[in-house]
């Protein structure tokens, strides 16, 4: 090996190491973070297994590792995986539970409270396991969608009129107070004029 070929060889090793490093570790591509998969050998069968990528995973529940493993095999964006998990695990259960009720019972909070809470807890658990903040735009859109599907015809208590007896009392009270107030002013004026 001559002194002239050593820098070329070193440069070639550097490029090889750089390329090898970008296939096994996290690299920046077009200013976006991408994770390149590495292959692992399945010890049971000796075959090359699916591409595996290491990603951080929460551990708040016993299901977290399962959710993270599914997203590793999903091999897509983490939000796409969250969307798929929410659709298949949370929304499916919610829709089946709602289908077991008559549509007239959907507007009674006591009938849907547990289903609604289960949906909320399911989306929160999956998001926490995937280390995605909760609530997030996907979860918010999910709840907007279920409200527009299942609860759009439900009357809201905040916007409904009070009972007629309360409306009558609220209208008649000021009407009755006006003559009383006028009488008090007139009496006070007469008493005040006589003493000055």
């Amino acid at each position: 090996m001559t002194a002239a070929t050593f820098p070329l060889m070193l440069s070639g090793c550097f490029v090889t190491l750089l390329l090898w490093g970008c296939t096994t570790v996290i690299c920046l591509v077009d200013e976006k973070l991408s994770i390149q998969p590495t292959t692992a050998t399945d010890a049971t069968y000796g075959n090359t297994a699916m591409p595996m990528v290491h990603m951080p995973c929460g551990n708040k529940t016993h299901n977290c590792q399962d959710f993270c493993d599914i997203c590793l095999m999903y091999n897509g964006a983490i939000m796409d995986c969250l969307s798929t998990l929410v659709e298949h695990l949370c929304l499916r259960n919610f829709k089946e539970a709602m289908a077991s009720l008559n549509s007239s019972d959907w507007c009674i909070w006591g009938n849907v409270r547990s289903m609604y809470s289960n949906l909320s807890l399911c989306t929160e658990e999956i998001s926490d396991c995937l280390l995605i903040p909760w609530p997030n735009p996907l979860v918010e859109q999910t709840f907007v969608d279920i409200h527009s599907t299942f609860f759009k015809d439900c009357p809201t208590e905040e916007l409904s009129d009070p009972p007629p007896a309360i409306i009558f009392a609220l209208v008649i009270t000021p009407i009755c107070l006006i003559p009383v107030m006028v009488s008090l002013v007139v009496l006070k004026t007469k008493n005040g004029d006589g003493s000055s």
Side-chain angles (χ1 to χ4, degrees), residues 149-188:
T149 302
F150 295 102
F151 307 118
K152 66 181 175 190
D153 295 328
C154 296
T156 57
E157 292 297 321
E158 297 84 30
L159 301 177
S160 63
D161 289 335
I166 293 177
I167 292 176
F168 180 74
L170 290 172
V171 169
I172 204 70
T173 302
I175 292 172
C176 292
L177 283 176
I178 290 172
V180 172
M181 295 301 289
V182 168
S183 299
L184 288 174
V185 168
V186 168
L187 284 173
K188 184 67 175 168

Side-chain angles (χ1 to χ4, degrees), residues 3-169:
T5 59
F6 183 72
L8 291 174
M9 193 161 111
L10 185 60
S11 159
C13 287
F14 177 74
V15 170
T16 303
L17 284 173
L18 181 63
L19 290 175
W20 176 79
C22 282
T23 60
T24 58
V25 295
I26 298 172
C27 297
L28 289 175
V29 178
D30 295 330
E31 298 179 359
K32 294 181 182 176
L33 189 63
S34 69
I35 301 175
Q36 302 295 327
T38 59
T39 57
T41 304
D42 187 352
T44 1
Y45 301 104
N47 298 331
T48 302
M50 299 179 72
M52 294 174 53
V53 177
H54 297 288
M55 66 177 252
C57 185
N59 60 359
K60 290 190 176 189
T61 68
H62 64 281
N63 295 326
C64 281
Q65 193 57 52
D66 294 335
F67 296 144
C68 292
D69 290 345
I70 289 169
C71 287
L72 283 173
M73 290 185 282
Y74 188 77
N75 202 19
I78 193 76
M79 288 304 286
D80 292 340
C81 184
L82 174 65
S83 174
T84 302
L85 288 172
V86 165
E87 178 68 35
H88 291 290
L89 299 176
C90 306
L91 279 174
R92 178 181 289 167
N93 292 339
F94 179 80
K95 289 175 181 177
E96 287 173 0
M98 291 297 282
S100 70
L101 296 174
N102 292 329
S103 60
S104 59
D105 293 335
W106 292 351
C107 294
I108 302 169
W109 178 243
N111 294 340
V112 297
R113 175 181 24 214
S114 65
M115 296 175 257
Y116 196 88
S117 294
N118 289 342
L119 175 64
S120 180
L121 290 172
C122 181
T123 60
E124 184 176 5
E125 177 186 8
I126 295 172
S127 295
D128 286 348
C129 287
L130 299 179
L131 300 177
I132 298 171
W134 188 92
N136 53 60
L138 174 79
V139 170
E140 290 170 355
Q141 187 59 47
T142 299
F143 280 93
V144 167
D145 292 344
I146 67 159
H147 276 264
S148 64
T149 302
F150 295 102
F151 307 118
K152 66 181 175 190
D153 295 328
C154 296
T156 57
E157 292 297 321
E158 297 84 30
L159 301 177
S160 63
D161 289 335
I166 293 177
I167 292 176
F168 180 74

